[in-house]
Amino acid sequence: MSSGRKVKVAVYSGSREDNVAGLIQEIRDRMTDYVEEVIFVQLPYNLSDMLKMKLDKNYYMVLCHSINNRRFSITNVTDALYDDFLKKAKKRLDRRKVGVIAHDFGSDELLPEKLESRMESFRNSQERTFRKSMLQLIGGQLSKSPVELSDGQWEELRKYFRNELKTPKPKKPGRRNSCL
């Protein structure tokens, strides 16, 4: 991406906009050099309605899922909410323009040693999230500023918007490496 080009960001959530208002405001405030616009997109509660949504290729998606809203169930688990939606988003937008933030974890869960363990568990138990999105974060509250994301997570978010993340797709479980 050229250094002067700014991106448009769409923050998707099944919760009300005020649940992610702090994140939206901080992206606007912190990332003025490379983010042109940030909009909120309300996800419908019904999963089949989610699949009918139009996804605009001009926007980077940040799918925010509150664990207070139907548990930590993004993909691969019982009652997963976003398996099909993330598949559609990856196909329509391209994996490099799909990001996921699971939030509303308690402060104790966000301590570096616990967060690393939680991310590893997320990667292992919900690997489809990692195959269908370029950015995956776990944070605290996103409703008011300052939001509960670390400086390192803000840097990952910046790299995501700049297409600088080098996150490889995880291998599907049960598959062996093969030479092509």
Side-chain angles (χ1 to χ4, degrees):
M1 176 183 288
S2 66
S3 59
R5 189 159 179 270
K6 292 186 177 187
V7 299
K8 295 178 179 183
V9 177
V11 175
Y12 287 72
S13 179
S15 301
R16 295 188 340 235
E17 184 173 1
D18 59 358
N19 202 31
V20 293
L23 175 68
I24 291 169
Q25 191 58 52
E26 282 197 51
I27 290 172
R28 286 178 179 147
D29 294 346
R30 287 175 174 242
M31 302 189 178
T32 57
D33 290 349
Y34 35 90
V35 173
E36 172 184 333
E37 173 186 15
V38 186
I39 63 168
F40 173 76
V41 180
Q42 178 74 54
L43 287 171
Y45 189 81
N46 184 317
L47 299 180
S48 62
D49 289 342
M50 211 182 288
L51 292 177
K52 295 174 189 170
M53 292 182 71
K54 300 262 187 260
L55 300 175
D56 190 332
K57 288 182 180 182
N58 295 314
Y59 287 83
Y60 277 70
M61 172 188 285
V62 178
L63 173 63
C64 294
H65 173 71
S66 170
I67 62 165
N68 296 333
N69 180 21
R70 302 197 272 183
R71 305 178 306 112
F72 189 15
S73 51
I74 297 172
T75 60
N76 296 87
V77 295
T78 303
D79 298 328
L81 299 171
Y82 305 109
D83 269 320
D84 293 334
F85 184 68
L86 285 175
K87 181 179 180 180
K88 174 184 174 176
K90 177 186 173 197
K91 185 176 182 180
R92 171 85 177 138
L93 305 175
D94 190 308
R95 178 176 176 254
R96 67 184 172 82
K97 291 175 86 174
V98 179
V100 175
I101 302 176
H103 64 101
D104 286 334
F105 285 87
S107 300
D108 58 324
E109 292 286 320
L110 302 176
L111 297 170
E113 60 280 358
K114 284 216 179 165
L115 186 58
E116 188 176 324
S117 171
R118 174 65 81 174
M119 279 301 291
E120 189 61 32
S121 174
F122 183 21
R123 195 174 290 107
N124 291 332
S125 65
Q126 300 189 54
E127 55 82 26
R128 271 187 230 126
T129 303
F130 292 76
R131 283 194 287 118
K132 297 187 183 337
S133 63
M134 193 64 173
L135 172 80
Q136 309 82 25
L137 299 174
I138 290 176
Q141 67 79 30
L142 303 180
S143 59
K144 61 187 184 311
S145 202
V147 300
E148 293 177 326
L149 292 176
S150 70
D151 289 342
Q153 290 171 316
W154 277 108
E155 180 60 15
E156 280 188 66
L157 201 55
R158 184 195 69 76
K159 286 180 176 181
Y160 166 61
F161 295 142
R162 302 292 296 153
N163 282 330
E164 296 170 356
L165 280 181
K166 303 290 186 233
T167 309
K169 278 199 266 189
K171 307 238 182 308
K172 288 185 180 180
R175 295 216 174 150
R176 295 176 187 238
N177 290 338
S178 61
C179 297
L180 296 177

